[in-house]
């Protein structure tokens, strides 16, 4: 990555050791294990306990998916690959939202929860994630005595431009007081054109991997690919095991705690699926890689914007 004018190229952080990497992977799997065991055994805990346990499962799955998607970049390069891997990384959030949308077929009130989940994710990314990245980048630059600022590379500018148009189109929803299938079709087509456009981007420099993905990417090719597929499979299994009970527990917990269920779904559900990405984005910014930090959030926000319409309509 080319550093913005007036800044120094940040030093690369060494990846964690093999033992630390294995420990982190084991901790993520352990976090998901209680939820999977409960689902297989058919045990239905209280709403609040279920919200906590299945929410931890979704959070663990999101972390595993993020690590697997980042590691896969060692074998799949280019901006288009990054966009496709970002699509995979939002599986936990999509699974919860799709279940709400599916349940709305027999319980119409659940359509509002599907919208709450996605709009809450957008609010978390824009209202919390982007300011945190900017703040971390500014503080890190001041501490190191370099000029603050986040420079955007070519494919990142394309991300921003397409997202800006999608954001403007999304104002149709509150103006029309409904989420139409026509708007869903328009945004899906816009996302398809975005993939086509980003696939033609000539830029070849990629973000440097950090943490667990950096260690996994250093493995021999065959072992790395097997590990990536295994982590993807485990994470996907956890997602599908936890999505329905987590969504149901959220709604039931709101009733038992006396909290508005719409607000609970809007704020708590996205936090479980978005937290890993937010942490990584802030770490990038703290290492004077604000462009990479914003990139970690831009594709996710674009996908959330498009899926808000496609799921609910």
């Amino acid at each position: 990555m080319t550093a913005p004018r007036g800044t120094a190229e940040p030093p690369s952080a060494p990846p964690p050791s093999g033992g630390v990497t294995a420990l982190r992977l084991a901790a993520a799997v352990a976090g998901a294990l209680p939820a999977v065991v409960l689902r297989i055994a058919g045990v239905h805990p209280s709403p609040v306990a279920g919200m906590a346990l299945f929410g931890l499962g979704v959070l663990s799955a999101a972390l595993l998916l993020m690590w697997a998607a980042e590691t896969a970049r060692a074998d799949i390069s280019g901006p288009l690959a990054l966009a496709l891997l970002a699509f995979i990384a939002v599986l936990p959030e999509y699974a919860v939202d799709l279940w709400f949308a599916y349940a709305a077929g027999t319980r119409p009130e659940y359509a509002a929860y599907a919208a709450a989940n996605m709009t809450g994710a957008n609010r978390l990314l824009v209202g919390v994630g982007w300011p945190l990245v900017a703040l971390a980048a500014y503080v890190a630059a001041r501490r190191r005595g370099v000029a603050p600022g986040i420079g955007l590379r070519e494919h990142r500018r394309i991300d921003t431009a397409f997202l800006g148009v999608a954001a403007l189109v999304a104002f149709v929803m509150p103006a029309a007081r409904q989420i139409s299938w026509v708007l869903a079709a328009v945004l899906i087509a816009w996302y398809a054109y975005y993939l086509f456009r980003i696939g033609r981007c000539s830029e070849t420099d990629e973000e440097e991997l950090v943490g667990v993905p950096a260690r996994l990417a250093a493995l021999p090719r065959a072992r790395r690919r097997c590990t990536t597929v295994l982590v993807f499979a485990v994470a996907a299994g956890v997602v599908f095991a936890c999505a329905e009970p987590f969504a149901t527990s959220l709604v039931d917990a709101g009733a038992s705690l006396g909290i508005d269920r719409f607000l609970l779904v809007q704020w708590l559900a996205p936090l479980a699926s978005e937290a890993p990405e937010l942490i990584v984005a802030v770490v990038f910014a703290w290492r004077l890689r604000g462009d990479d930090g914003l990139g970690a959030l831009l594709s996710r926000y674009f996908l959330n914007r498009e899926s808000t319409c496609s799921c609910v309509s």
Side-chain angles (χ1 to χ4, degrees):
M1 157 181 167
T2 302
R5 184 176 300 177
T7 66
E9 188 73 19
S12 298
S17 65
V20 171
T21 299
L23 183 61
R24 292 179 182 177
L25 287 168
V29 173
L33 192 58
V36 175
V37 171
L38 287 174
R39 186 63 191 272
I40 293 176
V43 177
H44 302 283
S46 66
V48 176
M51 179 180 66
L53 291 173
F54 291 113
L56 180 59
V58 171
L59 175 62
S60 300
L63 189 59
L64 290 171
L65 273 175
M66 183 189 68
W67 285 339
E70 291 287 300
T71 304
R73 288 166 43 196
D75 299 296
I76 309 173
S77 61
L80 176 59
L82 296 181
L84 294 176
L85 291 174
F87 183 86
I88 296 173
V90 298
L91 178 60
E93 184 178 327
Y94 275 27
V96 173
D97 211 58
L98 285 170
W99 188 86
F100 276 135
Y102 174 78
T106 54
R107 304 180 65 178
E109 67 273 15
Y110 273 56
Y113 300 143
N117 183 40
M118 282 297 174
T119 55
N122 292 339
R123 182 178 300 175
L124 183 64
L125 290 174
V126 177
V128 177
W130 294 6
L132 275 180
V133 168
L135 179 61
Y138 176 81
V139 173
R142 298 287 293 182
R143 282 169 56 90
R144 300 187 189 186
V146 298
I150 299 176
L152 298 179
R153 290 175 289 175
E154 178 190 354
H155 70 273
R156 200 73 71 219
R157 293 193 296 271
I158 294 175
D159 292 343
T160 306
F162 272 79
L163 179 59
V165 174
L168 291 176
V169 172
F171 277 102
V172 172
M173 289 184 284
R177 297 181 180 272
Q178 65 174 341
I179 302 177
S180 169
W181 67 267
V182 176
L183 184 59
V186 169
L187 288 177
I188 290 173
W190 184 242
Y191 183 68
Y193 179 58
Y194 160 74
L195 292 178
F196 169 76
R197 179 65 184 85
I198 204 72
R200 300 179 60 188
C201 182
S202 60
E203 197 163 318
T204 58
D205 57 321
E206 304 288 355
E207 298 98 83
E208 180 185 355
L209 299 178
V210 297
V212 171
R215 172 56 60 185
L216 295 180
L219 295 174
R221 177 179 296 180
R223 186 179 173 189
R224 179 181 66 239
R225 290 180 175 177
C226 289
T227 302
T228 302
V229 171
L230 177 62
V231 175
F232 266 132
V234 170
V238 173
V239 167
F240 287 112
C242 295
E244 178 182 349
F246 177 55
T248 304
S249 297
L250 273 174
V251 175
D252 294 340
S256 63
L257 294 174
I259 301 174
D260 186 277
R261 288 173 288 185
F262 184 91
L263 292 178
L264 191 63
V265 171
Q266 189 176 50
W267 286 102
L268 192 57
L271 187 61
S273 57
E274 304 289 355
E277 202 77 23
L278 288 174
I279 294 172
V280 169
V282 172
V283 169
F284 275 140
W286 188 252
R287 294 177 177 174
L288 297 181
R289 295 166 58 188
D291 175 78
D292 295 340
L294 287 177
L297 302 179
L298 279 172
S299 294
R300 202 172 184 96
Y301 179 63
F302 198 173
L303 287 166
N304 287 345
R305 179 69 69 180
E306 175 269 329
S307 61
T308 300
C309 296
S310 58
C311 287
V312 179
S313 62

